[in-house]
Amino acid sequence: MSEKTTALVTGGNKGIGYEIAAGLGALGWRVGVGARDDRRRTDAVEKLRAAGVDAFGVALDVTDDASVAAAAALVEEHEGRLDVLVNNAGITGGGPQEPTKVEPATIRAVVETNVIGVVRVTNAFLPLLHRSASPRVVVMSSSVGSLTLQSTPGADTGPISAAYSPSKTFLNAVVVQYAKELAGTSILINAACPGFVATDLNGFRGTRTPEQGAQVALQLATLPDDGPTGGYFSDAGPIPW
C-alpha cells in the first residue's frame, strides 16, 4: 500500500481538472489523472511529471461501468487505497437548452455524465476510500445549480438551461444524500463551485483561470477531520442551495 497520500481526479487531463491534479501534486501527493482519451491523458501525465508531480494515468470513462470498474481495480492494485476522489469530469450538452427547445436526449446525456457518472465512480472507489485514514470526496458542481440563485431576480446564473444547470442541482442533492449515508464514517463529501472559469466547456469565455477554479477543490480535498460534509462551497465560502 502506498505511503503517499493518493488522489484521483476525473477529467484530469485539461482545464480545471488538470490544475487540481497539479495543485494536489504540489502537496507531494501521488495523483491519478482520470481521462478517457489515451493521448490527452498521456500528455497530461507527462506534463505533470515534468513539473515534478508524482502522476499516473487512469483510463476512465465515467459513463461506462466496465471502464470505471477497471479504473478502480488498477488503483487498488497499484496504490492499495484512495485518499481523495475529485469528481471533476462533466459536460454542458451544448445548445439549445431552453426548456421549450431542448432535446430529451440532451438532458439524458448530461445527466448520465454529470450525475450518474459521479455516482458510478464514487461507488466504485468507496471501498478504497474506506481504507484511508482521512478520505475526502470533492464533487465539482456549479453555482448555476443553486435554486436560490436561479430564483433570485438579477442574479447572474448564465443562460437558460434545462440540462446543464438542473444536472448540477441534481448533483448537489445527491451529495447531500451521500453525506447523510456516510455520516459516522471518516469520509467527508462536499460539492464545489470553481466559478466562471475560462475553459473549453464555455468556449473560454470565463473570467477566472483554471488555476483559480481549482482552489476550492484543493481546500475541500485537504479538510481537517472535523471539517464540513454535505456542503456546497466556492473558494469564498458556502453557496446557498
Side-chain angles (χ1 to χ4, degrees):
M1 187 173 291
S2 175
E3 295 182 0
K4 281 190 173 184
T5 298
T6 302
L8 173 66
V9 183
T10 70
N13 61 296
K14 61 181 180 178
I16 298 169
Y18 177 86
E19 293 300 336
I20 293 171
L24 297 176
L27 299 175
W29 293 12
R30 183 157 162 75
V31 183
V33 176
R36 59 185 177 181
D37 185 283
D38 292 341
R39 183 70 260 167
R40 291 178 179 175
R41 182 178 62 253
T42 299
D43 289 347
V45 169
E46 290 177 352
K47 184 178 177 182
L48 286 165
R49 287 177 177 170
V53 175
D54 184 6
F56 63 99
V58 180
L60 180 59
D61 179 349
V62 303
T63 67
D64 183 83
D65 289 339
S67 173
V68 173
L74 182 147
V75 173
E76 179 174 27
E77 178 183 358
H78 292 283
E79 309 302 322
R81 70 167 190 277
L82 185 66
D83 299 292
V84 173
L85 171 63
V86 181
N87 286 296
N88 169 74
I91 62 172
T92 65
Q97 287 197 10
E98 293 89 343
T100 58
K101 301 176 183 177
V102 68
E103 293 289 338
T106 298
I107 299 175
R108 189 175 295 112
V110 171
V111 170
E112 179 64 47
T113 297
N114 294 1
V115 183
I116 298 172
V118 170
V119 173
R120 181 180 287 113
V121 171
T122 301
N123 289 352
F125 282 92
L126 271 176
L128 300 183
L129 287 161
H130 279 299
R131 297 177 188 174
S132 172
S134 299
R136 306 288 178 260
V137 179
V138 182
V139 178
M140 297 305 288
S141 181
S142 170
S143 62
V144 302
S146 167
L147 293 178
T148 299
L149 296 177
Q150 286 284 359
S151 58
T152 299
D156 183 10
T157 53
I160 296 173
S161 165
Y164 180 72
S165 295
S167 79
K168 295 301 186 179
T169 308
F170 190 176
L171 183 59
N172 291 345
V174 169
V175 168
V176 171
Q177 299 306 312
Y178 266 117
K180 291 169 68 174
E181 182 180 356
L182 295 170
T185 75
S186 56
I187 296 176
L188 303 181
I189 179 170
N190 292 284
C193 172
F196 189 33
V197 176
T199 67
D200 58 3
L201 202 71
N202 55 44
F204 298 96
R205 293 179 290 105
T207 56
R208 307 189 82 200
T209 66
E211 186 175 9
Q212 289 173 321
Q215 294 309 302
V216 64
L218 301 182
Q219 292 173 8
L220 296 175
T222 56
L223 284 173
D225 290 342
D226 61 352
T229 191
Y232 184 23
F233 302 95
S234 71
D235 53 14
I239 300 172
W241 296 107

